Amino acid sequence: MLEKVLYSTSAKATGGRDGKTETVDGKVKFNLSVPKELGGPGGEGTNPEQLFAMGYSACFLGAMRHVSGLEKIQLSPETTIEGVVGIGPIPNGFGIEVELKIHVPNMEVAKVKDIVEKAHIVCPYSNATRNNVNVKLTVI
């Protein structure tokens, strides 16, 4: 449970995986399409897994910046995180797994791993998925 809500947002989806989704304030709008790998036609739209990969990557990088700021360490502006989200069957439906591929130029791998470990503790996406989704953190 949150101690205090600092920010809240809202989005609506219509039509399911082959519909549309948008934030209630209208700032973000996407057409959705089911990937061929999931039995759909593919198409120009995005899908929930792609959106999750983008959100988790951005959130985790924010957590890394938070941790590095507390430790007075400068992260390179070229730091990147590639989120890889897989979907597949589990005994009672479908589940996801995540790999975050983290690249921090010009920093010792041991230091990057330390920041990553600490960021995994504070990141909201990490906290939401912990003990429910397999999350692999890879420093490249």
Side-chain angles (χ1 to χ4, degrees):
M1 175 161 294
L2 296 177
E3 294 174 12
K4 179 182 177 183
V5 175
L6 299 176
Y7 172 74
S8 179
T9 189
S10 182
K12 290 184 180 181
T14 56
R17 285 183 163 270
D18 57 356
K20 297 177 186 247
T21 188
E22 68 180 277
T23 56
V24 173
D25 62 10
K27 290 182 180 181
V28 180
K29 298 178 184 182
F30 289 107
N31 290 324
L32 302 171
S33 59
V34 180
K36 289 180 181 181
E37 297 86 346
L38 295 178
E44 296 296 318
T46 189
N47 60 64
E49 293 73 35
Q50 289 175 322
L51 297 171
F52 192 84
M54 288 189 289
Y56 201 164
S57 297
C59 189
F60 199 86
L61 184 49
M64 286 179 62
R65 291 196 183 285
H66 172 76
V67 167
S68 63
L70 291 175
E71 296 188 3
K72 307 216 183 317
I73 298 169
Q74 182 72 34
L75 281 183
S76 167
E78 281 78 43
T79 298
T80 60
I81 299 179
E82 177 186 351
V84 180
V85 174
I87 183 172
I90 58 173
N92 296 316
F94 290 88
I96 62 170
E97 65 180 20
V98 176
E99 180 179 11
L100 298 179
K101 297 179 181 179
I102 301 144
H103 175 66
V104 181
N106 305 316
M107 186 179 287
E108 292 178 17
V109 171
K111 189 60 192 168
V112 175
K113 287 182 177 182
D114 181 59
I115 293 169
V116 165
E117 186 177 302
K118 292 172 181 173
H120 195 44
I121 294 168
V122 301
C123 175
Y125 274 65
S126 293
N127 286 322
T129 59
R130 187 167 287 115
N131 299 321
N132 190 45
V133 173
N134 182 32
V135 176
K136 181 179 178 184
L137 304 170
T138 305
V139 175
I140 55 173

